Amino acid sequence: MNISPLNNTYNSYANYGNTSVPGGENSRIPGITDGRNTPDGECETCKNRKYQDGSDEMVSFKTAQHISPESAAARVRAHEQEHVSNAYTDAAQNNGKVLRASVAIHTAICPECGRSYVAGGTTSTQIKYYNEENPYQQDLKATDHIKYAGMNKDITT
């Protein structure tokens, strides 16, 4: 896994859906059909929308897959949580500490039917790695020892 020590952003779930905007007899706006008037209630763009992970991590959705609009939010959230879990695992294995982990779920409006849908997600993590061999880290520990030595003294006698 190629992770820099300060800030990692994984842009996941690139939307590779069909972006053509066909017109139709049931158009509310010229050039935009109402997907709710199709026999199954889903427009062609929503039927063909696929999600794929764009990161270099080994997580789900490495190949483009269709997710139903009803379950897209939960599946995207679960996928982004995999990135967060990987960050904690990497930090634990490499003497690091996760300072921050956040997930953003992105939405968009379908150009064909006008419905809101989950367009993807982004995970951003910040990991601090400790390098004990680094002379700066050793100096920091020495100055911290001087600074904190005797700071809390128990006087119970």
Side-chain angles (χ1 to χ4, degrees):
M1 187 158 55
N2 185 11
I3 294 179
S4 65
L6 290 178
N7 198 359
N8 310 308
T9 301
Y10 303 104
N11 293 317
S12 301
Y13 283 108
N15 178 11
Y16 292 100
N18 178 9
T19 57
S20 63
V21 183
E25 294 178 13
N26 298 324
S27 294
R28 292 175 293 152
I29 301 172
I32 298 180
T33 62
D34 186 357
R36 289 166 274 202
N37 292 334
T38 61
D40 59 357
E42 191 174 32
C43 72
E44 284 299 312
T45 302
C46 292
K47 275 185 189 176
N48 296 326
R49 185 171 296 117
K50 294 187 179 194
Y51 297 84
Q52 183 174 12
D53 179 66
S55 73
D56 59 353
E57 283 191 284
M58 290 307 301
V59 288
S60 60
F61 292 97
K62 292 313 279 182
T63 59
Q65 298 177 35
H66 174 72
I67 304 175
S68 70
E70 296 80 22
S71 64
R75 300 269 309 267
V76 170
R77 246 182 280 122
H79 170 83
E80 296 303 327
Q81 186 58 40
E82 288 181 60
H83 288 293
V84 173
S85 177
N86 286 348
Y88 277 94
T89 301
D90 184 59
Q93 291 173 349
N94 296 313
N95 194 23
K97 178 181 179 182
V98 176
L99 300 177
R100 181 182 59 82
S102 65
V103 172
I105 304 299
H106 309 289
T107 59
I109 302 297
C110 178
E112 185 177 345
C113 65
R115 290 183 185 170
S116 175
Y117 68 94
V118 174
T122 305
T123 298
S124 178
T125 60
Q126 186 174 16
I127 304 172
K128 180 178 181 180
Y129 292 98
Y130 299 98
N131 183 358
E132 300 298 328
E133 288 78 39
N134 184 342
Y136 295 107
Q137 184 70 26
Q138 292 173 355
D139 286 345
L140 180 63
K141 280 187 164 190
T143 56
D144 280 350
H145 176 66
I146 293 168
K147 183 170 40 173
Y148 295 120
M151 195 174 219
N152 297 315
K153 188 170 184 180
D154 186 14
I155 308 174
T156 57
T157 57

